[in-house]
């Protein structure tokens, strides 16, 4: 800690407004740094400009060193504007007598601090000190800003529709599925919509015929949606509207409504009362599966109301809109995809890996931001979201809308581009660029793009999107589509990787205290050998004459690997007993748990290939939840232990002549690709959306340079030095 707690406490003490608070921060900085000028700029979200909030400079004999003179700075303007834009420390060009340090929480920029000196240039140590200092200040500053300044929170009354936006507001979140979208908001809050239904005062008496017509219309719409899911997402067509449709058909539900209408109650009110009774009964059930149905019921009734009353309620359909939601189930995303929404803005703050992966597969731009208040905003706010940068804008002005329309047009044109047949580095080394797929549409896109094969098929997605375990036949049908579509391209099937945040709601023991450390992945499969064997049989039957690769996720011991292989052998025998002689697949292990490193030589002797799932490898190496937005800074792919671990795996697999692929997110990240190629990795597998960009980045890398970067990075033991070597600072 650079700042003592007593100092931090003093910052708040008696500070009446944000200026006096910031002046105290400046005093503290003077105490810790040898400077003669300091200015604090904060980023104003509504105008997206830096505003000078406090400054102080000391007159010295050599004269003063003025701090940045402008009160307002756009991004990219002046040293502070540059620092905010790059997210990195910026120096004045020649003598380094000025240094601008960005302040951010995670990737959310908050402002910048400008420091000046009259003589000694700012150096690495100063930068390091300021980095620590600003990281301590970021959280306090963010809180202080909310607390002291009139932000958009001001005037927020409890209740819905009370968060108003009269001007353009640009905010920063995290991009979780690429692409841009523009549309009116659609707030997906079943509780809210349902509560609002209860508030409606019906202006007239409706007839039973009108209610019946609304119910029929709702049923038609649901069947249409169901059909479009089946057509577009055949592998996940798990009758997602089943419970809606079953409730509509429920005899006692209908007769209860009729009874009340016959007793003189207005039909919509009768519908609400009966629904309330059902909700109560569902919510009290011991069965979690039944409890989950409350949401379906609320959703259904909202749809009926919208058909009965029209515009008075939230729109029944989210078509073309930006959906704002706090949390989503995979089935929600499917429903929304079937309604052809434009994008999703999730406002709970946490990145849920499987939701973002699903959104990527369905090509729905997704931004995640820690802004739950947005759930209280009015319906139909115009919003732009940018899933590439994580920015979003509420009430965009016409010039911004035009800008985004241009981007969307360009994207449309770029859609027809395809990959070069092969991927080469600048110096001519061939790299095997494969793709990760989750659902059939990913594979269709990969084939269209001309990808070299599938390096990771996450087979759990069809399991996640259903209401019960898919049978062997259902799985066979899905895998057969994968085999047929992929033709001669190699395909790596990863066996079921459920658990963690990929919860099967229909599995009886699914509640765990620490799901990421629980019955996840291969552990689940080994504890449920019948499910595991039926999956393997389905894959091998679907593969037919083709030799596929089979990969076990999250292997941590030799015993797990050997038991999984034994179960594979038993599955082969099952098939042979039925008269089907499968082609024996290549067998691989995913390296995601660091314990495997200590026994890697032995693992290599018993597998045909290895694949590193860097997403989990980082999570388990560093003990950081990969989904926790608040721990983003700890989840660091360039931590020396991670990088040295990767190098060790690359060397060991090479020594054993075993193929190694990287299939986690690091495989497409510009900043890490030179390192990965530099340590000898030649197979990369990335989401289809990143294929083009990754091929382009690789074509700009020369192996000599990449090896030099890797050597240098590996010679360092601190994150700071590695960041310098990788060019981050
Ligand atoms: C990984 O962990 O890096 C990986 C590819 O698997 P998933 O993201 O599906 O956990
Ligand atoms: Mg993983």
């Amino acid at each position: 800690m650079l700042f003592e707690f007593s100092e931090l406490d003093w910052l708040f003490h008696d500070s009446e407004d944000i200026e006096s608070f910031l002046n105290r921060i400046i005093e503290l900085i003077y105490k810790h740094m040898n400077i003669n000028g300091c200015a604090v700029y904060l980023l104003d979200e509504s105008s997206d400009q830096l505003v000078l909030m406090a400054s102080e400079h000391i007159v010295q004999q050599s004269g003063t060193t003025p701090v940045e003179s402008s009160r307002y700075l756009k991004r990219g303007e002046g040293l502070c504007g540059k620092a905010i834009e790059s997210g990195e420390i910026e120096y004045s060009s020649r003598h380094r007598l000025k240094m601008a340090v960005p302040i951010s929480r995670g990737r959310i920029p908050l402002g910048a601090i400008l420091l000046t000196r009259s003589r000694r240039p700012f150096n690495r140590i100063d930068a390091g000190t300021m980095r620590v200092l600003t990281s301590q200040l970021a959280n306090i500053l963010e809180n202080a800003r909310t607390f002291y300044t009139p932000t958009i929170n001001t005037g927020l009354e409890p209740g819905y529709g009370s968060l108003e936006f009269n001007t353009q507001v640009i905010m920063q979140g995290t991009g979780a599925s690429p692409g841009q979208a523009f549309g009116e908001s659609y707030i997906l809050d079943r509780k809210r919509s349902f509560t609002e239904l209860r508030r409606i005062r019906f202006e007239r008496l409706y007839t039973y015929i009108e209610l019946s017509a609304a119910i029929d219309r709702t049923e038609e719409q649901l069947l249409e949606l169901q059909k479009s899911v089946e057509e577009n997402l055949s592998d996940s067509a798990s009758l997602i509207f089943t419970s809606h449709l079953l409730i509509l058909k429920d005899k006692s539900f209908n007769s209860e409504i009729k009874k009340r209408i016959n007793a003189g109650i207005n039909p919509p009110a009768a519908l609400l009362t009966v629904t309330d009774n059902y909700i109560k009964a569902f919510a009290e059930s011991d069965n979690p599966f039944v409890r989950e149905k409350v949401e379906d019921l609320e959703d259904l009734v909202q749809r009926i109301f919208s058909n009965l009353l029209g515009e008075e309620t939230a729109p029944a359909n989210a078509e073309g809109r930006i959906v704002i939601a706090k949390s989503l189930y995979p089935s929600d995303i499917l429903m929304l995809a079937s309604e052809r929404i434009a994008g999703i803005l999730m406002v709970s703050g946490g990145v849920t890996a499987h939701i973002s992966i699903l959104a990527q597969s369905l090509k729905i731009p997704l931004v995640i931001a820690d802004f739950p208040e947005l759930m209280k905003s009015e319906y139909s706010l115009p919003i732009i979201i940018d899933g590439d940068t994580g920015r979003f804008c509420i009430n965009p002005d016409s010039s911004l809308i035009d800008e985004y329309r241009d981007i969307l047009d360009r994207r449309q044109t770029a859609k027809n581009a395809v990959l070069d047949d092969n991927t080469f580095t600048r110096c001519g080394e061939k790299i095997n660029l494969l793709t990760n797929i989750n659902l059939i549409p990913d594979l269709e896109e990969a084939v269209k793009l001309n990808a070299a094969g599938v390096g990771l098929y996450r087979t759990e997605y069809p399991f996640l999107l259903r209401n019960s375990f898919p049978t062997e036949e259902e799985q066979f049908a899905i895998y057969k589509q994968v085999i047929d579509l992929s033709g001669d391209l190699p395909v790596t099937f990863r066996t079921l990787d459920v658990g963690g945040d990929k919860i099967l709601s229909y599995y009886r023991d699914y509640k765990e205290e620490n799901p990421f450390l629980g019955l996840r992945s291969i552990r689940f499969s080994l504890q449920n050998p019948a499910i595991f064997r039926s999956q393997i049989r389905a894959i091998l039957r679907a593969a037919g004459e083709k030799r596929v690769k089979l990969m076990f996720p999250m292997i941590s011991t030799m015993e797990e690997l050997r038991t999984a292989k034994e179960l594979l052998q038993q599955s082969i025998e099952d098939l042979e007993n039925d008269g089907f002689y499968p082609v024996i697949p290549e067998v691989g292990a995913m390296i995601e748990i660091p314990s495997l490193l200590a026994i890697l030589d032995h693992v290599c002797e018993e597998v045909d290939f290895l694949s590193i799932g860097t997403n989990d490898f980082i999570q388990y190496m560093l003990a950081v939840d990969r989904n926790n937005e608040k721990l983003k800074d700890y989840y660091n792919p360039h931590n020396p232990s991670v990088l040295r671990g990767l190098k060790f795996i690359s060397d060991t697999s090479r020594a054993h002549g075993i193929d190694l692929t990287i299939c986690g997110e690091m495989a497409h990240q510009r900043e890490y690709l030179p390192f990965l190629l530099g340590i000898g990795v030649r197979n990369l597998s990335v989401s289809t959306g990143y294929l083009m960009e990754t091929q382009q980045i690789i074509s700009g890398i020369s192996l000599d340079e990449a090896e030099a970067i890797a050597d240098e990075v590996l010679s360092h033991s601190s994150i700071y030095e590695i960041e310098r070597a990788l060019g981050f600072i």
Side-chain angles (χ1 to χ4, degrees):
M1 287 286 271
L2 255 177
F3 285 151
E4 300 297 330
F5 280 113
S6 57
E7 287 180 312
L8 297 179
D9 188 35
W10 168 83
L11 278 179
F12 283 101
H13 214 69
D14 295 336
S15 291
E16 283 160 14
D17 51 24
I18 189 138
E19 280 82 4
S20 57
F21 171 82
L22 293 175
N23 280 325
R24 287 199 164 183
I25 288 191
I26 290 179
E27 265 183 67
L28 275 191
I29 296 175
Y30 266 96
K31 208 170 129 193
H32 289 273
M33 301 282 296
N34 178 12
I35 50 172
N36 69 341
C38 179
V40 180
Y41 282 84
L42 289 185
L43 191 64
D44 174 40
E45 281 158 355
S46 58
S47 62
D48 198 36
Q49 289 194 94
L50 283 170
V51 184
L52 179 64
M53 301 297 290
S55 68
E56 181 74 50
H57 60 260
I58 296 171
V59 180
Q60 299 209 327
Q61 278 171 353
S62 56
T64 63
T65 306
V67 291
E68 202 107 330
S69 49
S70 319
R71 179 151 163 66
Y72 298 101
L73 292 172
K74 292 204 181 82
R75 282 173 189 262
E77 206 180 295
L79 270 192
C80 284
K82 279 192 196 134
I84 267 286
E85 183 137 282
S86 64
E88 285 166 13
I89 293 183
E90 299 284 343
Y91 301 90
S92 56
S93 46
R94 274 186 54 222
H95 302 299
R96 293 200 156 207
L97 292 176
K98 286 186 185 179
M99 172 166 85
V101 188
I103 314 166
S104 59
R105 189 178 62 75
R107 273 188 252 148
I108 302 173
L110 302 172
I113 299 182
L114 182 77
L115 305 177
T116 59
R117 268 188 190 145
S118 50
R119 266 194 295 270
R120 195 170 58 79
F122 287 106
N123 61 20
R124 222 159 40 82
I125 298 171
D126 298 317
T129 310
M130 277 310 287
R131 208 181 303 280
V132 177
L133 214 137
T134 43
S135 74
Q136 277 181 265
L137 283 178
N139 193 14
I140 302 176
L141 264 179
E142 192 180 41
N143 280 313
R145 196 169 60 146
T146 323
F147 186 58
Y148 288 119
T149 54
T151 67
I152 45 177
N153 289 335
T154 309
L156 177 64
E157 299 295 332
Y160 298 124
S162 54
L163 185 60
E164 285 176 13
F165 296 87
N166 300 322
T167 51
Q168 171 171 297
V169 176
I170 297 179
M171 301 186 83
Q172 184 70 44
T174 304
S177 170
Q180 294 75 24
F182 168 53
E184 290 188 340
S185 67
Y186 175 93
I187 297 176
L188 185 72
D189 180 350
R190 303 211 169 91
K191 288 277 163 297
R192 164 178 172 175
S193 315
F194 205 70
T195 311
E196 286 185 352
L197 291 187
R198 288 206 184 86
R199 291 206 195 123
I200 295 176
R201 271 193 265 114
F202 305 110
E203 285 176 0
R204 65 178 175 90
L205 202 60
Y206 289 82
T207 63
Y208 177 67
I209 294 175
E210 281 173 301
L211 178 64
S212 287
I215 290 178
D216 289 348
R217 176 81 197 109
T218 307
E219 185 176 348
E220 269 166 38
Q221 288 165 343
L222 291 171
L223 288 170
E224 266 167 40
L225 291 177
Q226 180 69 49
K227 196 160 148 251
S228 96
V229 177
E230 277 164 36
E231 280 166 7
N232 301 320
L233 297 161
S234 47
D235 50 345
S236 46
S238 58
L239 298 178
I240 48 173
F241 294 103
T242 312
S243 37
H244 292 64
L245 292 163
L246 287 180
I247 297 165
L248 280 182
K249 298 265 168 262
D250 185 69
K251 276 207 181 84
S252 69
F253 184 72
N254 285 312
S255 70
E256 288 288 317
I257 296 172
K258 221 171 187 172
K259 218 160 59 189
R260 281 171 175 73
I261 296 173
N262 289 340
I265 297 178
N266 200 2
L271 172 61
L272 268 185
T273 320
V274 174
T275 306
D276 275 340
N277 294 343
Y278 268 68
I279 287 179
K280 199 157 166 278
F282 283 6
E284 283 168 3
S285 166
D286 288 337
N287 183 341
F289 182 65
V290 174
R291 286 201 301 272
E292 265 178 29
K293 298 295 129 199
V294 169
E295 302 218 347
D296 287 341
L297 186 53
E298 289 173 348
D299 181 45
L300 170 70
V301 173
Q302 195 202 316
R303 287 171 192 270
I304 300 175
F305 262 77
S306 166
N307 281 321
L308 181 66
L309 308 182
E311 284 305 299
E312 273 181 63
T313 58
N317 200 321
E319 185 168 354
R321 288 172 177 259
I322 308 287
V323 171
I324 299 179
K326 242 185 180 163
S327 64
L328 291 171
Y329 291 113
S331 55
D332 289 324
I333 299 237
L334 273 191
M335 284 186 207
L336 296 170
S338 67
E339 292 186 33
R340 297 199 176 76
I341 57 165
I344 303 176
L345 178 57
M346 265 179 72
V347 293
S348 57
V351 177
T352 315
H354 73 262
I355 290 295
S356 66
I357 286 170
L358 196 50
Q360 284 170 26
S361 291
L362 297 169
K363 311 283 166 284
I364 303 175
L366 167 65
V367 169
I368 299 184
D370 194 2
F371 194 6
E373 296 87 342
L374 211 50
M375 295 298 285
K376 294 179 179 166
S377 63
E378 66 208 82
Y379 289 113
S380 305
L381 273 174
I383 296 189
I384 291 175
I385 62 168
D386 187 335
D388 295 349
T389 62
R391 296 182 89 199
F392 60 100
C393 176
I394 299 168
N395 270 334
D397 61 24
S398 54
S399 67
L400 199 61
I401 294 174
D402 289 346
E403 211 177 287
Y404 269 82
R405 290 220 164 103
D406 274 357
I407 294 177
L408 290 175
D409 285 350
R410 263 182 275 135
R411 206 161 248 264
Q412 200 57 34
T413 322
K415 257 188 182 163
N416 300 325
V418 293
L419 291 164
D420 291 343
D421 281 348
N422 289 306
T423 303
F424 292 106
T425 59
R426 200 171 80 221
C427 52
E429 176 85 3
K430 187 167 174 225
I431 305 296
N432 198 20
L433 183 58
L434 304 159
T435 190
N436 297 346
I437 63 165
N438 310 311
L439 294 172
I440 301 286
D442 292 325
L443 181 56
E444 287 166 346
E445 165 132 352
V447 170
K448 212 169 77 196
L449 277 170
N450 196 17
V454 176
L456 164 67
Y457 171 29
R458 293 183 167 101
T459 59
E460 59 276 8
Y461 277 87
F463 281 72
L464 281 173
L465 301 170
R466 287 179 146 69
N467 295 327
S468 58
F469 280 110
T471 61
E472 186 176 323
E473 288 317 307
E474 282 179 286
Q475 292 180 60
F476 169 76
I478 297 167
Y479 305 149
K480 186 79 176 57
Q481 286 187 63
V482 172
I483 296 293
D484 290 347
L485 269 167
S486 59
D488 292 335
L489 299 177
V491 179
T492 307
F493 282 80
R494 174 173 78 182
T495 59
L496 204 55
D497 185 22
V498 294
D501 66 338
K502 292 186 253 182
I503 307 287
L504 301 177
S505 60
Y506 47 87
Y507 181 67
R508 60 190 188 290
D509 300 325
Y510 81 94
K511 282 260 178 301
E512 292 184 303
E513 282 291 320
N514 282 309
F516 275 100
L517 302 180
L519 190 63
R520 229 200 118 180
S521 205
I522 195 69
R523 296 174 190 166
F524 177 93
S525 294
L526 299 186
Q527 285 209 11
N528 293 282
I531 295 171
F532 191 47
R533 277 166 67 171
S534 80
Q535 180 178 38
I536 294 175
R537 283 196 304 265
I539 294 172
L540 296 183
R541 281 174 52 208
E545 300 288 296
K546 182 168 176 169
R547 186 167 191 216
V548 293
K549 295 184 173 193
L550 200 66
M551 160 161 102
F552 305 126
M554 260 185 79
I555 292 288
S556 66
T557 62
M558 290 306 288
E559 282 71 18
E560 282 171 348
L561 176 61
R562 286 177 185 153
T563 314
K565 286 179 70 176
E566 265 163 38
L567 288 166
L568 164 64
Q569 186 51 37
Q570 286 172 19
S571 314
I572 293 172
E573 284 163 19
D574 289 345
L575 292 172
E576 288 176 347
N577 288 338
D578 288 345
F580 177 80
Y581 290 83
V583 176
I584 308 302
E586 286 184 57
V587 175
M590 280 188 84
I591 308 183
E592 301 184 279
I593 302 190
S595 67
L596 217 59
L597 269 57
I599 52 168
L600 199 56
D601 277 324
H602 306 278
V603 173
C604 285
E605 281 162 16
E606 300 192 17
V607 294
D608 299 313
F609 67 94
L610 290 170
S611 188
I612 312 179
T614 49
N615 306 338
D616 277 315
F617 186 66
I618 298 165
Q619 152 161 281
Y620 293 122
M621 177 68 100
L622 304 179
V624 185
D625 181 349
R626 66 191 257 191
N627 292 326
N628 189 336
E629 182 90 343
K630 295 193 171 68
L631 296 182
K632 222 159 49 177
D633 291 343
Y634 292 93
Y635 185 85
N636 190 343
H638 56 266
N639 180 299
S641 309
V642 172
L643 299 182
R644 288 175 188 206
L646 297 180
K647 160 82 170 147
F648 175 77
I649 299 167
S650 174
D651 288 350
T652 311
S653 55
R654 196 170 266 233
H656 286 267
I658 298 275
D659 245 11
L660 171 71
T661 302
I662 306 260
C663 64
E665 296 302 308
M666 265 179 105
H668 70 79
Q669 287 166 343
R670 182 180 295 276
E671 54 276 41
Y672 302 123
L673 275 164
F675 173 82
L676 294 176
L677 300 187
I679 60 169
V681 172
R682 295 292 177 267
N683 304 302
L684 299 162
S685 191
V686 306
S687 305
T688 42
Y690 293 114
L691 279 168
M692 298 291 286
E693 190 186 329
T694 309
Q695 185 172 71
Q696 212 174 20
I697 299 170
I698 292 172
S699 70
I701 297 175
S702 107
L703 283 185
D704 283 354
E705 285 163 22
E707 282 159 13
I709 291 173
D711 284 348
E712 185 181 355
V713 163
L714 290 166
S715 72
H716 298 303
S717 58
S718 85
I719 294 174
Y720 175 72
E721 289 165 327
I722 291 174
E723 285 180 352
R724 278 173 60 90
L726 287 173
F728 292 178
I729 45 178

